[in-house]
Amino acid sequence: MDQLKTLRTFISVADHASFAEAGRRLNMSPTAVTRTIAALEASLGVQLLMRTTRSVRLTDEGAAFLERTRAGVSEIDQALAIAQGSRGEPSGLLTVTAPVVFGRLHILPVVTELLQSHPDLRVRLLLLDRVVHMVEEGVDVAVRIADLPDSALHMVRIGEVRRLLSASPAYLERHGVPSTLADLERHQMIAIEDELGPQRGWATSPGQRPSHIPRLTVNSVDAAIAAAIAGAGIVRTLSYQVAEAIVAGRLQQVLAGESPQTLPVSLLFQAGRRDQTNIRAFVEVARRQIGRARL
């Protein structure tokens, strides 16, 4: 297993072009990562990475080794998963990642049910608002909210969400309810930093960039929603993020007819693991719980 850890470390360094970043992703110190790679190169008698004070890049030998290593690690992971799955009852460690808010609201209850039903199962739940590299970070199941391209990963769709606009009743009473997207120009907007990329944010027509600066910008969905509830303006979120506040009357949806297409909620895992016991149990519970949830 030490050799497998060494290969995962090499893959992470190569993918991130950084010893420090690989260390952060793998919970290793930069010194430990450096020593691991040096030992690997010494054992192979080949230089895999070129290091300078500013960059890390693969040598030609390193690039060829990376391709074979990535495929090999994937095969080993699948073999381990099949062996683990043969035991029938979920057990051992299952690592799951999900977006922060969705994970807290909808994946944590799935994990809780699994832990209560299967006493030999352990779960590592990573709530992260970034795309996780599943192989090198040791992730078994990833929850993604997006239209996903074709890949070697197996995908199971478990629900869908949509983007919507909402504000507090008090704010709308003071400033009026917008009836068209163009009306947003005269409103106070709350933006989330992730929303400021191309074809996102406060456009008045599809594909158009926002034409004004939001009154408040934050880098946290929870903070943006709290600000909207406090009457600071109109916020755009995913539907599940404000579902409870809307039901409770703390927020009111606006421009409901202008909502864009829905976004699928999917579970991703390596294709060879679809019958692995832990993953199968997680998929079954997630489908059932999220199928009846308010998204």
Side-chain angles (χ1 to χ4, degrees):
M1 291 301 176
D2 286 344
Q3 286 186 332
L4 184 58
K5 182 178 179 180
T6 295
L7 296 179
R8 290 191 195 279
T9 303
F10 168 67
I11 291 171
S12 188
V13 172
D15 283 348
H16 301 295
S18 168
F19 285 80
E21 182 62 22
R24 282 191 289 271
R25 299 294 179 96
L26 299 174
N27 294 319
M28 297 171 62
S29 69
T31 300
V33 173
T34 300
R35 289 175 179 170
T36 298
I37 299 302
L40 175 62
E41 291 177 324
S43 69
L44 296 174
V46 174
Q47 184 176 5
L48 301 173
L49 297 163
M50 294 288 293
R51 297 93 151 161
T52 69
T53 56
R54 295 185 177 181
S55 66
V56 176
R57 63 182 178 84
L58 289 163
T59 63
D60 291 342
E61 294 84 357
F65 184 69
L66 175 64
E67 182 178 355
R68 292 191 292 270
T69 297
R70 201 188 298 277
V73 168
S74 177
E75 288 292 330
I76 291 170
D77 285 340
Q78 291 184 32
L80 292 171
I82 291 170
Q84 187 180 41
S86 67
R87 290 180 286 181
E89 183 70 14
S91 62
L93 178 65
L94 175 69
T95 300
V96 179
T97 185
V100 174
V101 177
F102 191 87
R104 172 171 56 80
L105 293 175
H106 298 294
I107 300 303
L108 188 57
V110 173
V111 169
T112 300
E113 179 176 333
L114 285 170
L115 292 175
Q116 292 172 345
S117 302
H118 306 290
D120 293 328
L121 180 67
R122 294 178 293 117
V123 177
R124 180 176 177 234
L125 178 59
L126 305 175
L127 301 183
L128 302 166
D129 286 329
R130 63 173 173 84
V131 176
V132 171
H133 297 276
M134 296 181 65
V135 173
E136 62 264 33
E137 297 187 51
V139 171
D140 299 303
V141 182
V143 180
R144 299 277 167 81
I145 303 175
D147 290 309
L148 299 172
D150 293 334
S151 73
L153 296 173
H154 187 73
M155 179 179 69
V156 175
R157 182 166 175 166
I158 59 172
E160 62 183 25
V161 300
R162 55 198 168 84
R163 294 188 183 276
L164 57 80
L165 305 170
S166 63
S168 71
Y171 171 87
L172 295 174
E173 184 176 348
R174 291 195 309 270
H175 298 275
V177 179
S179 58
T180 68
L181 285 172
D183 289 344
L184 297 178
E185 298 294 334
R186 60 181 177 80
H187 278 271
Q188 298 177 21
M189 314 309 301
I190 304 168
I192 304 165
E193 283 194 352
D194 179 60
E195 294 291 311
L196 300 181
Q199 298 186 17
R200 290 181 167 188
W202 299 109
T204 55
S205 63
Q208 189 179 36
R209 296 299 300 274
S211 58
H212 70 289
I213 299 175
R215 183 77 185 278
L216 172 64
T217 301
V218 297
N219 67 341
S220 161
V221 173
D222 282 336
I225 293 170
I229 291 172
I234 299 176
V235 67
R236 187 178 81 156
T237 62
L238 294 174
S239 51
Y240 72 88
Q241 295 168 335
V242 293
E244 292 182 359
I246 288 176
V247 170
R250 297 190 298 272
L251 289 175
Q252 177 180 326
Q253 184 179 358
V254 298
L255 296 174
E258 301 290 347
S259 296
Q261 292 182 332
T262 58
L263 294 173
V265 180
S266 304
L267 303 180
L268 294 183
F269 47 89
Q270 294 181 49
R273 294 188 174 191
R274 62 184 302 173
D275 294 322
Q276 197 264 342
T277 305
N278 291 352
I279 291 177
R280 187 170 64 247
F282 182 88
V283 171
E284 289 174 359
V285 176
R287 272 179 158 165
R288 172 166 44 79
Q289 285 213 15
I290 293 173
R292 67 192 184 202
R294 183 185 296 273
L295 300 181

